[in-house]
Amino acid sequence: GENVEQHPSTLSVQEGDSAVIKCTYSDSASNYFPWYKQELGKRPQLIIDIRSNVGEKKDQRIAVTLNKTAKHFSLHITETQPEDSAVYFCAGGFQKLVFGTGTRLLVSP
Amino acid sequence: EAGVVQSPRYKIIEKKQPVAFWCNPISGHNTLYWYLQNLGQGPELLIRYENEEAVDDSQLPKDRFSAERLKGVDSTLKIQPAELGDSAVYLCASSLDFAGEQFFGPGTRLTVL
């Protein structure tokens, strides 16, 4: 089955810096790769997703890139703000999503 | 539009007791998921429903866990008997279909003493 690995487990940046979180997957049949943001004690919320027929997708300060050949995808957050602090999960799959172990992002003012 | 609703939000029980969680998905969403989330980990799928049919329950510990979605809308997840290791957050999610964006509920935090 699918296996998704996520790095780093924690990431600390200064406000205004960029943050990059990377994930790899194992199943070449996987075609859907969402990213979720989860604040402490709250539900995971989708922030951006990408499907395997697209290499990059942007939404304001957030972008995701996908390299199908290398089986990895990344989340890029530019001009980080303190409210970006949360745990971010990548996920990948075909009919079933497998989640990464999460990255705790801390943005310091 | 109301989001995914779950109840209760918190549950504390003693080991060997039964417990049940309820989920009401977003109206019109045919696919419903139950996930388990341990502290510091990502959600892990327990079971997926397409309407009232359980199409993927390979990760559900069937000796103690059961689930149902009788009319293809609300769903209930049950544990009987609960063990200490079942302490976690149980998340319900729904999507229009299996390929669509998944919307999560707030979860039920279970503590087994």
Side-chain angles (χ1 to χ4, degrees):
Chain A
E2 177 64 281
N3 181 47
V4 175
E5 295 190 355
Q6 182 171 350
H7 300 280
S9 56
T10 59
L11 180 59
S12 294
V13 300
Q14 292 292 121
E15 183 177 1
D17 288 350
S18 294
V20 179
I21 302 171
K22 298 181 179 181
C23 289
T24 61
Y25 63 99
S26 61
D27 189 351
S28 56
S30 292
N31 62 353
Y32 178 55
F33 306 92
W35 286 87
Y36 284 85
K37 176 183 180 182
Q38 187 173 30
E39 297 177 12
L40 188 62
K42 298 199 174 176
R43 72 189 75 190
Q45 292 197 299
L46 183 76
I47 55 172
I48 196 167
D49 59 7
I50 191 167
R51 297 192 183 268
S52 59
N53 58 344
V54 175
E56 183 176 1
K57 185 176 179 180
K58 285 185 178 180
D59 182 4
Q60 300 183 337
R61 298 185 296 108
I62 294 173
V64 57
T65 59
L66 171 65
N67 183 325
K68 289 174 57 180
T69 303
K71 295 198 189 106
H72 65 70
F73 55 112
S74 301
L75 177 71
H76 304 253
I77 306 175
T78 59
E79 300 173 21
T80 54
Q81 301 167 2
E83 50 265 38
D84 293 330
S85 297
V87 178
Y88 291 81
F89 292 100
C90 65
F94 175 50
Q95 293 186 340
K96 167 183 173 178
L97 282 182
V98 175
F99 285 76
T101 50
T103 296
R104 183 173 301 278
L105 174 64
L106 176 62
V107 181
S108 302
Chain B
E1 177 183 280
V4 176
V5 179
Q6 290 187 248
S7 69
R9 291 294 314 279
Y10 304 91
K11 189 73 176 179
I12 301 174
I13 60 172
E14 295 192 344
K15 63 181 180 183
K16 300 185 181 179
Q17 294 300 305
V19 65
F21 315 126
W22 175 81
C23 173
N24 179 240
I26 293 173
S27 178
H29 280 197
N30 296 320
T31 308
L32 183 145
Y33 313 79
W34 282 103
Y35 286 93
L36 166 73
Q37 187 174 28
N38 286 306
L39 189 64
Q41 299 294 314
E44 299 172 35
L45 181 69
L46 290 171
I47 190 168
R48 173 169 66 97
Y49 281 93
E50 296 292 341
N51 298 302
E52 66 274 10
E53 182 182 359
V55 296
D56 184 352
D57 62 356
S58 57
Q59 298 297 105
L60 191 72
K62 297 180 184 64
D63 57 336
R64 297 184 301 108
F65 286 64
S66 64
E68 60 183 15
R69 193 184 184 199
L70 292 175
K71 295 182 179 179
V73 180
D74 295 2
S75 178
T76 302
L77 178 68
K78 298 179 181 178
I79 308 175
Q80 181 170 10
E83 296 180 352
L84 295 176
D86 296 332
S87 295
V89 175
Y90 291 82
L91 292 164
C92 178
S94 70
S95 59
L96 279 172
D97 55 42
F98 72 89
E101 175 186 347
Q102 294 185 28
F103 294 83
F104 283 86
T108 296
R109 182 176 296 278
L110 174 66
T111 301
V112 182
L113 303 176

